[in-house]
Amino acid sequence: MRRKLCLLVFAISILISFSLKAQEISDSLQKGTVYGVLYDSSHNHSLPAATVAVYAHDSVLISYALTDNFGKFEFHNLPIEQPLKVICTHIGYKTTSFIFQIKAKEISVKLPSINMTILYQDLEEVVIKAMPPVSMKGDTIEFNAEAFKMDKNAVAEDLLRKLPGVIIWGDGTITVYGKEVNAILVNGKSFFNNETKVATQNIDKGAIDKVQVYKRSDNDARKDSIMEINIKLKEGKDNGFFGKVSVGKGSWKRHESNLNFNAFNAKTQVSIVGALNNVNKAPKDIMTLISNSTFKGVGLSVDYQPEFNQQGVTTSKMLGGFFKRDFSKPGGRLNELNIDYYYKNSKLIANENLSTSTLIGDNNRLSSYDSSNNRNLDKTHVLNLKYEREGSKYRAVLSTAVNIRDSKNYSMRNLESLDFISYTALSKTSNLGDERNLNESYSFRIELSPLKNKNDFHNKSILSAFDKIIYDFHYLRDSSHSHNDINFVSYVDTLENLKFNRKYDKNFNRVSQDVNIKSSTFDGPGILKHLHIKYFFLNRFKLVTDWNNTNALDFDNSKDMYLRNDYLTNRSHYTEIDERPQISLTKSITDILYGRYSKNLNISLNIIGQLIRQRNNSAKPFQDLDKKYHNFIPEISVQYRNNQYSLTDQFLEAEYKIFYDYPSVNQLVPLIDSSDIYYQYLGSPDLKPQKNKQLTLRYQYNDLKASNNFKLSAMLRAKIISDFYATNTFINPSGRKFVNLINTNGYKIAYFNANLNKAYKINKNNLFQLEYVNSTYLSKRPSFLKTASTDITTSIISNIFSINNDVSIYYSWLENLVFKLSESYHFYQSKQGKGTADLLKNVYYNTLASVSYNATKRLNVGSNISFKSMLSSYGQRDKFKIWNANVNYRCLPGNNLEITFAALDLLKQNKALINFGDSYSITEGYSNVLQQYFMLSIAFYPRQFGRKTSN
């Protein structure tokens, strides 16, 4: 079947290639090219960023462009043997036009140099009969929406695809001339929490006046400029509403309903959302619901869809809202309030079967088989509030978050341990448990940033001495009530047989406070000033206070009642202080040639001290501790950026830092719970902090050309850990593990990741995209192992290697066809010795083909098929296919009504495969999962921009 798919994909590719080639040949026979250069006639230099538009003899716009930094322009696919007119406009210059004609014999025409004359009398932008589709105003590129004739139901995203230099990638990322767009604004302000798709896939094209593209620079030379797009609405169109109401009914009692209504005006934005389904759709937050219920609809890459890879089946109910109010006066300073609330009620039923193999030396391994049935009920409330205000001297941001989660879990578990060589059972355990957990989190943050101006260097006020002040407060409360009924049977030593009927009441409270104060940047004194070295101060102070109260009860059969477990019942009070004073020295070297390039070299040295104090008071005297640490944790970085305007942008960084990880109370002196049958952590009271030495190299490359963009980012990180917390494990004859930590050296890590994106526009109608993601991990991880059979502690070095490769190819033709082909390859290997018996590995493949085709303006057909395969060291290859298909039909004049039929997991082969490794053990298995169903749904998209006018 896989070969058949490959042949089918290959055949489609061949057909597309031939059709494109035929189109190119046809175009080359009937179309021509023209190019030229614009000059400033007064100063005799080339004129960049001028608007050049080509019109037919009947004043119909054919094509347009902005001149590059050398004043050059070029147009392809122009009609031959007919009069054409090129019109050149630029702010401050007289409009210049030139009539030409491309002869059939020429195909390519070079126009004579076009000289533009400065307009001394009127420096305002010249208005011409034929509206320029694009113009340059200062550093802002401005596109006139009216110059682009499109379907009446088109949205902002359709318009963006028409703009030169703009590419919408397969994952939804938008780039302009190779630079990623960080924000989409509407009328200069955030639109529904800056969710890109909410603006681009909902706003009607007819409501748009202009699209403005610009860079917003940061005063910090080390940071890159931020690319933004502002969608300027027409007058009277800055109020309206949009949304989606849908209901779906499917086979096997599957159902799905959604409500999404959004309204806005110049000052206020409001959203109300809700959803109900039993098809594994459980979005993480309210904005996921809003951004995936757009009028444009979802494409090939969707965040909110039935999750067929999820373990178990989830039924979810969601409700939420979003509110934004702008209190600022027109043209005034920022004064804005954002509030969102999200409620989720979910029920998960998950059944797992796992097999774990653990290497124990002498070509032997310990095998365990674990089967469990879980039922989880979860209710979550999330409230976020953010208020931003900018005054004449400062900018303040206040934010608060409330997260309350009430969960209940019921579980039944059976686990058996076996010796591989003799294949004899060592032990088994059964566990019946239930738990009720209430987790409450409350946080508050205030960020104060004084606004600077040129006169601040002579200002002696307190505000002028600081760059930023941040205070964070976080309160966490976690209370749980649980009950476990455990029965452990050892086939090796009956004296080890254990039974527990135990209850726990646990209450944990934490208060965490952080204060970060950063000074302004000053010129260095003495020789530092002579070397143009600047400096600033930063102080980070963190105070954490914990209160822990645990009551444990064991059932006494002789008394037929629960009695207190005096060992596990405990009260403790923990305090940690983390103080980090820092002084940073920075040196910047900048080379700029206006209109050509900018180069910047920045060197930073952060001199940081760290003072740690941990104090714990417990009802158990052995848990009392008072530890103090003081360490030097320097950081140094070198950054270089080379921006060749309109050509390439390259960024390189090398960073080296030292930092420490400090042992916790539970790592040092834990309370050992005997009901943790197969894994008991014994504690390590003499554990020292582990020291990390980390080197990071980063590289970014962006092609800034208008089309055929290329992006590359890569990171290489290497780390050596001294006094690493290595596990020291003893496995007794029944297969139980007793573990503590030992400080040791020799832990080394190397991590590499890379992202590559390449776009290729064959012409304005056909676009290819290539995306490649790689992450590679290597490590040498020391550990210690002792078994009852050898009674010798063996030092083990686990050589771990893993690599993840994901490559995707996208093809789009106009707005009619989108095709995606992707391949994912994940490999993990852990080797402890030289022989193959000490080798653990697993391999996972996933091949995906997906297509979406707009057969008409109202009918869309989509389908995707995945081929998944998994293989591990001690298991059989497992493979299956998931095939989904859907048909969507839009009705009514505004395409507001949508009828959808979806067929999911048509082959009924879906499985939830589990496969992961950890040093000298590997686990594989499967779980229950969502499988085949069919669904018919209907959706209505209410939308209006501006007040409704009657004819």
Side-chain angles (χ1 to χ4, degrees), residues 743-866:
N743 287 114
T744 189
N745 295 323
Y747 187 27
K748 301 176 182 179
I749 305 171
Y751 176 73
F752 173 80
N753 68 30
N755 291 267
L756 182 151
N757 303 82
K758 172 65 179 176
Y760 180 66
K761 278 190 175 181
I762 299 176
N763 51 46
K764 64 180 181 180
N765 297 330
N766 296 275
L767 173 66
F768 274 101
Q769 296 178 15
L770 171 67
E771 296 182 8
Y772 172 70
V773 179
N774 169 275
S775 62
T776 304
Y777 175 88
L778 299 98
S779 72
K780 287 182 175 291
R781 184 185 182 102
S783 59
F784 301 90
L785 179 65
K786 179 181 178 181
T787 62
S789 60
T790 60
D791 199 33
I792 298 175
T793 300
T794 304
S795 176
I796 298 174
I797 301 294
S798 298
N799 294 283
I800 300 174
F801 170 72
S802 70
I803 185 170
N804 298 326
N805 281 311
D806 297 278
V807 59
S808 300
I809 298 174
Y810 297 84
Y811 166 73
S812 61
W813 171 55
L814 294 172
E815 297 299 314
N816 299 333
L817 176 68
V818 181
F819 176 76
K820 174 185 177 181
L821 181 64
S822 67
E823 177 73 24
S824 298
Y825 170 75
H826 305 277
F827 176 82
Y828 171 88
Q829 175 181 288
S830 178
K831 191 174 183 181
Q832 282 71 43
K834 296 181 179 179
T836 56
D838 296 323
L839 180 67
L840 299 173
K841 66 178 181 179
N842 61 47
V843 183
Y844 172 77
Y845 296 92
N846 181 25
T847 302
L848 169 69
S850 182
V851 63
S852 177
Y853 176 61
N854 293 324
T856 69
K857 291 182 179 181
R858 296 182 179 274
L859 179 64
N860 171 271
V861 180
S863 182
N864 62 75
I865 185 167
S866 296

